[in-house]
Amino acid sequence: MTPVELSRTVLRAMRRAVDDGELSGLDDLDDVGTAGRVLVERPRPGGCGDYATNVALQVARAAGRSPLQVAEVLSPRLAREPGIAAIDITGPGFLNITLDQSGDKSGKSGSASAGFVRDVLTRGVSYGHVEATGEARQLRFPREVRAAVLADSLRRILVSQGVLARLTCDEAPDPGWGSLGVHLDAQAEPTAQTETLRPVPAPQDPTPLGRDAARWALLYPAAHDRPRIGDEHEHLVQRAANPLFRVRYAHSRTRALTRNAAALGFAAAPGETHDGGEAQALLDALADHPRVLAAAARHRAPDRLARHLVTTADAFLAFKPAVLPLGDEKPSAAHRARLALAEAAGTVLAGGLSLLGISAPEYL
């Protein structure tokens, strides 16, 4: 496990602790200085193991706990991670990490990664969904376009997590919402399971952006943040600075790889990719998808899913150059395994976009 992979592992453990309610006050880790990464380095004097991190000290104030308490929350979670043999807490809350050198806990590589990729491909866009729980929710919202789109996406996400959800508006719905893919249920009296959604309203009509860009502009920011609607260049331009474009472009590239591989005479087959950090980063993103869906449903936050799709797309785009043979290179088992991983990424991106009510084109 490289320091970059270990950093992602620690950050993932923190996110799961937040989602499970063990670390309150850390809903957005970027706001407490992590910037999407955790610093891991060789232990300093007094430390032990292969690597150490001071992340517990870094987030303790925002979590409302002592660094030692934060470290004690993270320690058992990290100890269960593949590739980690032991966790020791030293000083005021430093986490000292000993890596497993036996090869028995090598993460999602070899047969483990093959089985995981095969499972994603088998489940298709339903990967991360759960069976019906019997729980029901009624989502009510004011007559405002962002609230309508947020409620519509939440209904899709809740259904994916086994919750029967229905939508009702406080007033007669706007006919223009249909162009954004919002369809309400028949009006009904509030029930004991009714929730009212009141996100920060859209500053102006988003429909000129078109359905996909409008929904993304309304859903990508957190509900308490003001969405940016007016800059059509920001939401419609096809360049890397546009996160929606990166997600949809990444999906279209996964489909193009399948077509190009067929032209070269080979198809996907889950197996060992024989790759390093890029493949593992993509596997980590795909493995995190069910947790993100559950968190998006629990916190009523489609923005969490949107941000995760950007992370997955970026991981795939970094991995993409290794998928197809180069020059006179002949297709090998590793190429077939990489193609299977790429197709799994496309499956997750398509499923996530569908829950946001956004199309996933095969050609872009």
Side-chain angles (χ1 to χ4, degrees), residues 153 156-157 215-216 219 302 305-306 309 351-358:
S153 183
R156 299 166 190 253
I157 294 171
R215 289 184 70 102
W216 182 268
L219 295 172
L305 173 58
L309 293 180
L353 285 170
S354 175
L355 292 177
L356 297 178
I358 297 173

Side-chain angles (χ1 to χ4, degrees), residues 35-59:
R37 64 185 298 272
V38 169
L39 177 64
V40 294
E41 56 188 356
R42 293 296 181 183
R44 297 179 181 180
C48 59
D50 298 301
Y51 292 98
T53 177
N54 67 346
V55 69
L57 287 74
Q58 188 179 355
V59 304

Side-chain angles (χ1 to χ4, degrees), residues 61 90 141 152 238 255 268 283 289 294 297 308 340:
R61 181 184 297 273
T90 59
F141 55 92
D152 178 76
Q238 296 194 17
R255 301 307 185 230
L283 284 163
H289 185 65
H308 178 66

Side-chain angles (χ1 to χ4, degrees), residues 156-188:
R156 299 166 190 253
I157 294 171
L158 286 170
V159 169
S160 81
Q161 299 305 294
V163 179
L164 177 63
R166 57 181 294 144
L167 306 183
T168 55
C169 184
D170 290 342
E171 304 176 51
D174 188 320
W177 293 347
S179 67
L180 298 179
V182 177
H183 302 286
L184 277 64
D185 298 301
Q187 295 293 312

Side-chain angles (χ1 to χ4, degrees), residues 3-189:
V4 172
E5 293 167 346
L6 186 56
S7 172
R8 295 193 189 102
T9 298
V10 175
L11 186 60
R12 184 169 62 246
M14 290 178 61
R15 292 192 188 284
R16 288 174 175 166
V18 170
D19 291 340
D20 291 343
E22 294 187 53
L23 290 177
S24 59
L26 299 181
D27 286 343
D28 191 340
L29 295 179
D30 291 351
D31 288 346
V32 294
T34 63
R37 64 185 298 272
V38 169
L39 177 64
V40 294
E41 56 188 356
R42 293 296 181 183
R44 297 179 181 180
C48 59
D50 298 301
Y51 292 98
T53 177
N54 67 346
V55 69
L57 287 74
Q58 188 179 355
V59 304
R61 181 184 297 273
R65 298 193 181 191
S66 70
L68 184 60
Q69 290 173 322
V70 174
E72 289 172 344
V73 168
L74 296 177
S75 176
R77 289 178 173 272
L78 287 171
R80 293 193 295 267
E81 289 286 337
I84 294 179
I87 300 292
D88 294 288
I89 301 174
T90 59
F94 291 99
L95 287 162
N96 293 257
I97 304 167
T98 301
L99 300 182
D100 179 18
Q101 305 296 337
S102 69
D104 294 331
K105 296 170 66 179
S106 56
K108 286 186 172 61
S109 60
S111 60
S113 67
F116 169 71
V117 170
R118 187 175 295 108
D119 181 56
V120 174
L121 293 174
T122 298
R123 298 189 184 189
V125 294
S126 295
Y127 167 64
H129 295 204
V130 302
E131 296 182 357
T133 62
E135 183 182 358
R137 286 288 186 272
Q138 180 176 324
L139 304 178
R140 294 183 65 88
F141 55 92
R143 192 177 187 272
E144 190 276 322
V145 64
R146 190 187 188 198
V149 170
L150 178 71
D152 178 76
S153 183
L154 275 177
R155 170 165 57 180
R156 299 166 190 253
I157 294 171
L158 286 170
V159 169
S160 81
Q161 299 305 294
V163 179
L164 177 63
R166 57 181 294 144
L167 306 183
T168 55
C169 184
D170 290 342
E171 304 176 51
D174 188 320
W177 293 347
S179 67
L180 298 179
V182 177
H183 302 286
L184 277 64
D185 298 301
Q187 295 293 312
E189 291 299 321

